[in-house]
Amino acid sequence: MSTVHVFDHPLIQHKLSIMRDEKTGPKEFRELLTEISTLMAFEVTRDLPLKTVTVKTPICETQTNKIAGKKLAIVPILRAGLGMVDGIRALVPTAKVGHIGLYRDPKTLEPVEYYCKLPSDAEEREILLVDPMLATGGSSSAAIGFIKKRGCKNIKLVSLIAAPEGIERVQKDHPDVDIFVAHVDEKLNEHGYIVPGLGDAGDRLFGTK
Ligand code: PRP
Ligand code: URA
């Protein structure tokens, strides 16, 4: 079974509370999501493998560490996942970015795919799949399925808010994928929205409502 990492850092919880407030507009919402994504990225990348390298400082030669291998790819689920990319890239500027286009059918709540473009060497990279909302888990589970079909084995799911139902679904479908969230909320309502949640993340990010 995968591990669920919940970030209870005061800065993250404070910023998330402002994001939840219905009076917070798209500009501040976007900025806060970027800031939280940077803070989360620090912990999400904690286990990246290192290799020893030799560096000549102005004083002497020394053995020190750099990140080994092909590093990361960040894969946002469109649209709302886009809001987490810049915050993570602030810490890992060389990460490649893939995109998966999915929307949730409002009647069936099932994910519908409309786009998928991953880096050509995605299978050699650790994949950070990002989407602020893990509700039923249908979108994230389907996206992980697409990524696995491309040969990727090392995948982490990074979300802002999760419902217990979404965590359960992803853990059942993909027990090898660790989940990182800022908060686990209470439940889903009858429309599949997270309660208390923050509403529709894509609409609030892009001002489409
Ligand atoms: C939202 C959200 C997730 C999905 C979560 O996207 O960003 O992708 O719903 O729901 P689930 O866990 O029940 O699948 P939405 O489908 O509203 O598309 P959008 O980002 O384009 O608004
Ligand atoms: N998608 C969102 O944007 N918000 C929810 O609460 C559930 C799905």
Side-chain angles (χ1 to χ4, degrees), residues 58-86:
I59 309 300
C60 67
E61 242 182 34
T62 186
Q63 303 279 300
T64 184
N65 292 323
K66 281 191 170 178
I67 294 167
K70 278 276 180 128
K71 308 182 181 124
L72 295 178
I74 305 165
V75 180
I77 301 179
L78 305 179
R79 295 174 297 165
L82 289 173
M84 300 181 75
V85 174
D86 286 350

Side-chain angles (χ1 to χ4, degrees), residues 13 38 41 92:
Q13 296 307 313
T38 303
V92 245

Side-chain angles (χ1 to χ4, degrees), residues 77-82 102-106 109-112 114 130-141 166 169-170 188 191-194 199-206 208:
I77 301 179
L78 305 179
R79 295 174 297 165
L82 289 173
L102 285 176
Y103 70 87
R104 197 172 67 152
D105 184 286
L109 299 184
E110 285 302 314
V112 182
Y114 60 90
V130 298
D131 188 329
M133 308 308 277
L134 179 58
T136 64
S139 304
S140 292
S141 181
R169 166 85 183 263
V170 172
L188 295 177
H191 306 294
Y193 276 86
I194 299 175
D200 187 306
D203 283 347
R204 293 196 64 187
L205 261 179
F206 297 111
T208 42

